[in-house]
Amino acid sequence: MREELYLKDFLDRKSLEQLQLKRLQETLARVCERVPFYRRSFERHGVKPSDMRTLADLDRFPFTVKNDLRDHYPYGLFATEMNEVVRLHASSGTTGKPIVVGYTKDDIDIWSEVMCRTFQCIGLTPHDVVQNAYGYGLFTGGLGAHYGLERLGCTVIPMSGGQTEKQLLVLRDFGATAICSTPSYFVHLIEEAQKAGFSIGDTKLKRGVFGAEPWSEEMRQRIERESGIDAYDIYGLSEVIGPGVSSDCTAKAGLHIFEDHFYPEIIDPATGEVLPPGTEGELVFTMITKRALPLIRYRTRDITTLHYEKCACGRTLCRMDKVRRRSDDMLIIRGVNLFPSQIESILLEIEGTQPHYLLVVTREGAMDDLEVRIEVTPEVFSDEIRKMEGLQRCIHDKIKQLIGLSAKVTLVEPGTIERSVGKAKRVLDLRKKT
Ligand code: DLL
């Protein structure tokens, strides 16, 4: 059974595309019949499910956006009766009500499958003992990873997020060989282990399965260097299924999308036009096997690039670049466009900095200001003022040179920027309140 799942990653592209087309046709017909929102929306756009003759025809169909889910809160876009729905999750979102997502028994089965394939991609086997530090609850991380790990036959330790002291105790005493968490929480665990007098590198831990938030290549290198493990990126979103949409493989050359379930497109976020492979744009998914909540051309707001060349690992599934930014997390400061991830890359390349930072944006009259607060190592912090000023200047100049913005840089003491057990908060935009 596990072997069969693994083989799905190596289908020849022609067979995969035939399967995708068949599933797309069935899904379009199904949502048109069962979800009034889609029936109306297709009518408005003058398209019918029977117009879907080749994969290229998908761009005739309208997009679905987060607001459509909000407008039909909580269950209005479901394509099944509630008695078939066996699980609900929700994503908190930054404003207003959560987005509610539902799963039938078959959906849970697909989710376990794609998570099992995720763990296979990064080389886990039934011999692994896995500490699952993604939050269990409405967040999809905990239960999503849990079912996939069980499906693969690993030993799961269902820790959930938080309880850092206990996490460290379990990590050491239960002999975890892999851990699942957000990258920022793992950075926190590395530090807390040091405070407790041991190094993660001295435990049995070999692999980290990190996702749920953007993290740079520089962050990956830091984590690997400081903990001695291999750090892998996994990507997903509640609206599509949760984690299990795409995953790094051991080649670490982009994340393989489980395309037999989630059909990807890249569009120009401004015009909606479909862009060719190799071009950066907004990632859009159509869920071609989901039962309870199959969304058509769902705009993720995540910016990436798709690649269709065969991977060194032999998988034929296309790959997406690491998601570094969302089209809606761009900050515009004094006319300069900037993404938090650009600052992260700059900061982490500089010796003496720690991977904990906060961007604080304020407005004085008509003037926007950016303050970059960054923790430094205890050695730097105890150094003479002159050296601290040198580091501050160095960060300031790099940001100015690479982004073109003069930011105020504040070096703060280790441990002073708030830690999160889930997704890290990197931006405090105080302009919205003024
Ligand atoms: O974060 C699902 C998940 C759980 C993924 C555990 C990976 C691991 P949501 O809470 O709905 O779902 O948030 C989805 O988080 O649109 C991205 O903007 C961001 N995101 C998720 N994974 C990554 C990643 C889960 N690996 C939103 N890199 C997505 C960058 C990510 N951003």
Side-chain angles (χ1 to χ4, degrees):
M1 183 59 183
R2 287 195 292 264
E3 192 59 19
E4 258 169 50
L5 293 186
Y6 180 75
L7 290 176
K8 288 188 176 181
D9 295 3
F10 299 86
L11 277 182
D12 67 276
R13 294 278 330 164
K14 202 155 170 246
S15 315
L16 177 62
E17 283 166 15
Q18 278 167 358
L19 181 70
Q20 287 175 321
L21 179 61
K22 183 173 156 276
R23 289 182 169 174
L24 272 164
Q25 288 166 334
E26 284 165 4
T27 305
L28 290 168
R30 196 163 160 270
V31 296
C32 194
E33 188 196 315
R34 290 174 167 247
V35 187
F37 164 79
Y38 278 119
R39 198 161 43 243
R40 283 196 300 269
S41 161
F42 290 180
E43 255 169 42
R44 248 196 337 269
H45 282 80
V47 280
K48 300 183 295 302
S50 56
D51 293 331
M52 182 77 202
R53 293 196 194 92
T54 69
L55 289 177
D57 292 325
L58 186 59
D59 75 354
R60 302 174 58 182
F61 289 81
F63 294 114
T64 310
V65 295
K66 202 173 209 141
N67 264 344
D68 295 326
L69 282 158
R70 287 215 178 93
D71 291 347
H72 296 85
Y73 174 83
Y75 308 137
L77 297 190
F78 283 17
T80 44
E81 297 301 323
M82 280 311 277
N83 62 357
E84 287 182 61
V85 174
V86 298
R87 176 99 64 82
L88 295 172
H89 281 278
S91 95
S92 48
T94 40
T95 47
K97 292 193 170 132
I99 299 295
V100 181
V101 296
Y103 304 76
T104 64
K105 225 164 177 314
D106 287 344
D107 292 334
I108 296 286
D109 207 46
I110 290 169
W111 195 12
S112 316
E113 170 195 317
V114 286
M115 279 313 287
C116 175
R117 288 163 71 185
T118 292
F119 294 120
Q120 284 176 324
C121 249
I122 62 173
L124 296 193
T125 71
H127 297 287
D128 279 289
V129 177
V130 188
Q131 184 156 340
N132 185 12
Y134 283 125
Y136 283 64
L138 286 179
F139 177 55
T140 52
L143 283 167
H146 186 106
Y147 274 55
L149 289 165
E150 281 193 350
R151 179 81 168 256
L152 181 57
C154 299
T155 309
V156 197
I157 313 172
M159 284 300 293
S160 195
Q163 292 195 285
T164 303
E165 237 174 81
K166 199 176 225 165
Q167 299 271 2
L168 292 175
L169 177 130
V170 166
L171 186 61
R172 276 215 291 194
D173 294 357
F174 292 20
T177 55
I179 188 163
C180 302
S181 76
T182 56
S184 55
Y185 187 57
F186 187 69
V187 167
H188 180 50
L189 287 179
I190 298 178
E191 279 176 349
E192 291 301 306
Q194 273 158 1
K195 279 193 209 154
F198 73 101
S199 158
I200 301 258
D202 297 332
T203 67
K204 291 193 172 155
L205 201 69
K206 288 196 192 64
R207 291 183 177 84
V209 191
F210 303 127
E213 63 187 9
W215 54 304
S216 59
E217 211 40 61
E218 289 77 11
M219 180 75 91
R220 183 189 332 241
Q221 282 156 20
R222 278 266 179 135
I223 288 177
E224 294 191 337
R225 201 169 57 236
E226 287 176 16
S227 66
I229 67 165
D230 263 312
Y232 295 101
D233 193 10
I234 66 166
Y235 166 89
L237 60 163
S238 320
E239 299 92 312
V240 174
I241 201 157
V245 175
S246 68
S247 171
D248 258 340
C249 65
T250 49
K252 293 185 191 158
L255 291 79
H256 290 283
I257 297 177
F258 297 108
E259 285 178 87
D260 45 334
H261 295 291
F262 318 114
Y263 185 82
E265 296 171 278
I266 291 286
I267 62 159
D268 176 332
T271 63
E273 184 202 346
V274 176
L275 300 175
T279 317
E280 188 181 79
E282 181 182 338
L283 185 60
V284 169
F285 280 110
T286 300
M287 284 126 259
I288 55 180
T289 50
K290 288 246 321 264
R291 308 302 294 173
L293 187 59
L295 301 178
I296 308 301
R297 305 193 82 204
Y298 184 71
R299 292 186 59 159
T300 64
R301 301 275 164 203
D302 293 322
I303 304 291
T304 187
T305 308
L306 296 182
H307 304 277
Y308 286 82
E309 309 81 46
K310 200 167 173 183
C311 179
C313 74
R315 281 182 177 76
T316 49
L317 297 172
C318 77
R319 281 168 288 158
M320 55 184 260
D321 286 342
K322 224 170 171 359
V323 171
R324 305 288 315 275
R325 54 198 177 87
R326 292 174 53 84
S327 59
D328 52 7
D329 73 357
M330 187 172 78
L331 294 167
I332 306 178
I333 296 163
R334 279 177 255 137
V336 178
N337 298 353
L338 113 118
F339 289 94
S341 58
Q342 288 173 287
I343 301 268
E344 176 174 303
S345 297
I346 295 172
L347 293 176
L348 296 195
E349 284 216 312
I350 298 174
E351 185 95 19
T353 59
Q354 304 263 50
H356 299 290
Y357 63 93
L358 184 69
L359 310 184
V360 186
V361 191
T362 49
R363 177 171 290 159
E364 190 69 47
M367 245 338 227
D368 291 338
D369 276 307
L370 172 69
E371 180 192 354
V372 177
R373 286 186 203 156
I374 168 88
E375 282 186 20
V376 289
T377 58
E379 299 76 53
V380 169
F381 204 77
S382 58
D383 261 340
E384 21 180 313
I385 293 282
R386 201 169 43 83
K387 282 201 186 143
M388 296 255 294
E389 282 173 354
L391 180 62
Q392 214 164 9
R393 208 170 322 110
C394 169
I395 297 174
H396 172 274
D397 293 352
K398 275 252 162 80
I399 295 175
K400 175 91 199 166
Q401 183 195 342
L402 294 169
I403 298 178
L405 187 76
S406 196
K408 176 181 175 208
V409 176
T410 312
L411 305 184
V412 299
E413 207 173 334
T416 44
I417 288 176
E418 196 184 328
R419 306 294 191 256
S420 155
V421 297
K423 297 175 192 254
K425 188 166 168 49
R426 305 291 194 192
V427 179
L428 185 60
D429 195 342
L430 300 171
R431 288 177 301 186
K432 289 176 186 141
K433 292 182 192 139
T434 55

